[in-house]
Amino acid sequence: MQEINTVADLKSRIQQLEQQQAIEWPLLKEDLHKTYESFKLINILKSTFKEAVDVPDIKTNIINAAIGLTSGIVAKKVILGKTLNPLSKLLGLIVEVVVSNKVAKNADGIKTIGSVIMKKLFNQKDEREKV
């Protein structure tokens, strides 16, 4: 930056800065508007959904999580049934979380075993119908 020694230099520098401001102000307003729009809830959800869809294994991860959650809930119901005891409810919650996590992490193996069992069941049924 050059040194300002005279009133003419000061006026010139002020004029330059005003021109710079006239150029940059609309750009700043546009950036502010874009930022404001990006922070709207619907736009956050859209961008999150778009990012999630772009991930190649998202369907697998969602299915694995759903299988895990379902298994946890079923395990809790099977072990405890309907109980009013707060300690049993706490134990049931722990069982649900542990089973959900284990099943979600090993969902591919569980799906494979399940499909083998289903094939055997349906093949036996088909063989009985043929006889």
Side-chain angles (χ1 to χ4, degrees):
M1 182 161 151
Q2 64 189 22
E3 193 173 309
I4 299 174
N5 294 327
T6 64
V7 173
D9 289 343
L10 179 62
K11 286 182 180 180
S12 173
R13 183 66 183 144
I14 290 172
Q15 189 178 16
Q16 288 173 352
L17 291 173
E18 285 174 345
Q19 289 173 351
Q20 182 180 354
Q21 180 185 18
I23 293 169
E24 291 178 355
W25 181 248
L27 298 174
L28 180 63
K29 285 173 53 177
E30 183 180 336
D31 285 346
L32 179 64
H33 180 70
K34 286 179 182 177
T35 303
Y36 172 76
E37 288 295 318
S38 72
F39 280 112
K40 285 185 177 179
L41 180 60
I42 189 71
N43 292 331
I44 291 173
L45 292 174
K46 282 181 185 178
S47 65
T48 303
F49 183 73
K50 184 178 179 184
E51 290 172 10
V53 169
D54 290 342
V55 176
D57 295 330
I58 191 68
K59 288 181 183 177
T60 304
N61 292 340
I62 290 173
I63 291 170
N64 291 351
I67 291 170
L69 288 171
T70 304
S71 300
I73 292 169
V74 169
K76 177 181 165 184
K77 292 291 181 184
V78 167
I79 292 174
L80 297 177
K82 290 187 177 183
T83 182
L84 298 175
N85 186 348
L87 190 58
S88 295
K89 285 185 178 183
L90 179 62
L91 176 66
L93 182 62
I94 293 169
V95 166
E96 182 178 347
V97 170
V98 169
V99 170
S100 295
N101 286 335
K102 293 292 183 185
V103 170
K105 288 178 183 175
N106 300 310
D108 292 330
I110 292 170
K111 283 191 273 188
T112 304
I113 292 170
S115 65
V116 168
I117 291 171
M118 294 298 275
K119 284 180 184 177
K120 286 187 178 188
L121 287 174
F122 286 118
N123 284 341
Q124 287 177 359
K125 187 177 181 180
D126 290 340
E127 288 174 12
R128 282 189 236 140
E129 289 176 358
K130 289 179 184 178
V131 174

